Each structure stands twice: as C-alpha cells, then as structure tokens.
Amino acid sequence: MSVHAGTDRITVPAIRARKGGEPLVCLTAYSAPVASLLDPIADLLLVGDSVGMVLYGMDSTLGVTMDMMVAHGRAVAHRCGHACVVVDMPFGSYEEGPEQAFRNAARIMRETGCAAVKMEGGIELAGTIEFLVRRGIPVLGHIGLMPQSVNVSGGFSARGRDKAEARAILADAHAVAAAGAFAVVVEGTVEPLARQITEAIAIPTIGIGASPACDGQILVTDDMVGLFSDFTPRFVKRYAEIGPTLAAAAEAYARDVRSRSFPGPEHCFGVPKTKPKGPAQ
Ligand code: KIV
C-alpha cells in the first residue's frame, strides 16, 4: 500500500517507507502531457537529465543545463497530483561542493515545485547529500553506472563484475544511505551486487539494469514505448511501439494532404459539415 499525506500525493517519506514492500514503479517524464498520463500510474516520476539525449538529441547527458532541468521539471511537477516528482541535478551543478549543490537544488525545488532532487555519486558525494538533507532538500542517490561520469569510467558496461568494483559500489551505497538519501537509483549493476546492496541498506533501491532484486524499477519512458531509438539496451523491455505508430499516422496525414482529402468539411469554418440534400427526384 502506498502511504499518502492527507492527499493522494506520494511523499518522499512514503517512498522511503516502501523499503522491502510493494515494488516502487518509477518512470521518466519530461513534458506536461506525458506527466498527466503517467502521474496516476507511477509512484515516482523522474525528470531525468536523460532529457538531453531523448528530446534534444545530445550524445550524452553532459550538455544538459540547469535552465533545461528547471523548464522540464516545472512542466512535469505542475501536472502531477499523485506521483512523487524528482528532478535530476545536471552535470556541473553540484560537484564543486555542498554550497553550490544547495544553491542549485534550492533553485530547482523553488522554480519547479518538485519534491526532491537526484544526484549521481557515492562516497565522494556523501557530505553534499547530508548538507542538503539537513537543510530541507530530499535527495535521491544514484550509484553503479553513472552516465555523467562516463568519460572517467569509460563506458556503459555493467558494473560490479570484479570484486574490487563491487566492494566500491557497496561502499557507495552505504555512504549515500548514511548521508540521508531517501532512496537510491542503482544503474547497470550485476544482479548479485544489486541484491547485496538491497539487503544491506535501509533505504529503497530503484533499479535500472540492476535486476528484480531491487525495491523498485525505473525505465526511461521513451525507451519503454519504443519512441527513442532503434537500439534497445538489454535491460529495457518495450511495452509499446509508438515510433512506428507515429510514423504511420504521419504517412496517412501526408497522403490525405496530397490528395486534398484533409481537411474535410468537418474540419473547416464556414463550410456546411454535411452536403445539403439535393431536390427530391
Ligand atoms: O536521467 C535519467 O533518466 C536517469 C534514469 C535513467 C535513472 O537517471
């Protein structure tokens, strides 16, 4: 059962309380219409910095700016009355230290109306997470494969295959939880490690490419509905094929425009919707 605070809205403490309970259903959203559709269904909607790749065609998430996150965060948060809305902190907006992170996280919270922010990082970020949480900003952690660090880590392969890396990621999980994060995204991590982390820490783990051992799952919505690209990573299940549906609709529209069968009389102003009947014969 979801825990609500007086209204139907799922709060940050309610997400935290789902540890070991009913799995958390989480998706990304970047726009008001998609947020309206997903809000009643999802427990948590993430305005991810994946917006840069999915909507803006960037090669990575590194070019995403604070202004982009604020604009998309506001569009989503203003449409949601049920799901807990979390907005990603973009690359370069929090790594300098707690003060920079607080300034930018406060702007995101104030200008979007979201419930929390998300940041990528483990042990090195624990002090910053604690600083924010103590000052009223709930933080969703993100460990394992961290796309903002891909230039250092060198790729998108699954994390935790060797013992040293697995130990480091487990230590990250402990650090993020001890710092006060209310939940943590575990991305691209082998199943035994995702299971070990989930069993070891007291906050919910939200997996993406991290097995069903996690306390919840998140997918990029556009991946999940076949809208983003032809390449589907192994950890994505496509529940719809919106891409071909959209292309077929555009082709039908193009045919109608070229044959002048669209717009019809019912789409025009000052034209009778049905042809007047001719004289009786
Ligand atoms: O940016 C994003 O959408 C994310 C999710 C994939 C977890 O970080």
Side-chain angles (χ1 to χ4, degrees):
M1 271 287 289
S2 306
V3 182
H4 304 304
T7 67
D8 193 30
R9 187 181 289 284
I10 300 180
T11 61
V12 162
I15 297 287
R16 166 77 183 73
R18 290 273 287 274
K19 176 71 189 177
E22 183 191 351
L24 288 160
V25 176
C26 314
L27 284 166
T28 60
Y30 317 119
S31 70
V34 171
S36 295
L37 286 170
L38 302 182
D39 178 49
I41 300 162
D43 297 311
L44 184 151
L45 286 179
L46 173 69
V47 186
D49 62 353
S50 51
V51 67
M53 299 174 75
V54 176
L55 290 196
Y56 292 86
M58 296 176 173
D59 291 334
S60 78
T61 56
L62 301 189
V64 174
T65 64
M66 278 290 294
D67 286 346
M68 288 162 74
M69 295 315 301
V70 166
H72 289 279
R74 188 189 296 129
V76 169
H78 283 201
R79 281 296 175 91
C80 290
H82 171 252
C84 183
V85 176
V86 179
V87 176
D88 244 337
M89 306 253 336
F91 177 67
S93 71
Y94 58 97
E95 298 89 337
E96 272 174 53
E99 280 83 5
Q100 183 214 20
F102 181 82
R103 212 169 32 253
N104 285 320
R107 178 180 168 208
I108 287 177
M109 301 276 297
R110 192 170 52 239
E111 295 185 22
T112 69
C114 69
V117 296
K118 176 167 84 60
M119 299 183 219
E120 296 180 12
I123 287 178
E124 75 290 354
L125 202 65
T128 296
I129 294 174
E130 188 172 351
F131 189 90
L132 264 59
V133 173
R134 282 180 179 275
R135 286 159 181 77
I137 299 185
V139 176
L140 174 61
H142 184 149
I143 59 168
L145 197 166
M146 294 181 278
Q148 291 180 9
S149 305
V150 78
N151 287 318
V152 173
S153 58
F156 289 92
S157 56
R159 302 296 197 260
R161 286 194 199 279
D162 71 71
K163 280 191 182 154
E165 190 176 53
R167 259 197 311 275
I169 295 172
L170 182 60
D172 283 342
H174 279 295
V176 165
F182 69 91
V184 62
V185 170
V186 180
E187 178 164 355
T189 301
V190 295
E191 195 269 354
L193 177 59
R195 182 176 299 282
Q196 195 184 2
I197 292 171
T198 302
E199 286 169 1
I201 63 175
I203 58 173
T205 54
I206 300 173
I208 174 163
S211 89
C214 295
D215 296 299
Q217 299 294 325
I218 186 162
L219 282 178
V220 170
T221 298
D222 299 64
D223 281 340
M224 195 263 297
V225 298
L227 196 54
F228 177 35
S229 74
D230 292 338
F231 170 71
T232 307
R234 174 173 170 172
F235 58 82
V236 172
K237 181 171 173 183
R238 280 160 82 139
Y239 286 84
E241 294 298 339
I242 303 293
T245 304
L246 185 59
E251 273 163 19
Y253 165 72
R255 272 195 306 276
D256 281 0
V257 169
R258 289 182 185 123
S259 66
R260 296 193 189 280
S261 53
F262 175 82
E266 68 276 28
H267 307 117
C268 296
F269 301 101
V271 177
K273 282 194 181 141
T274 49
K275 282 189 189 147
K277 283 191 183 141
Q281 299 204 341

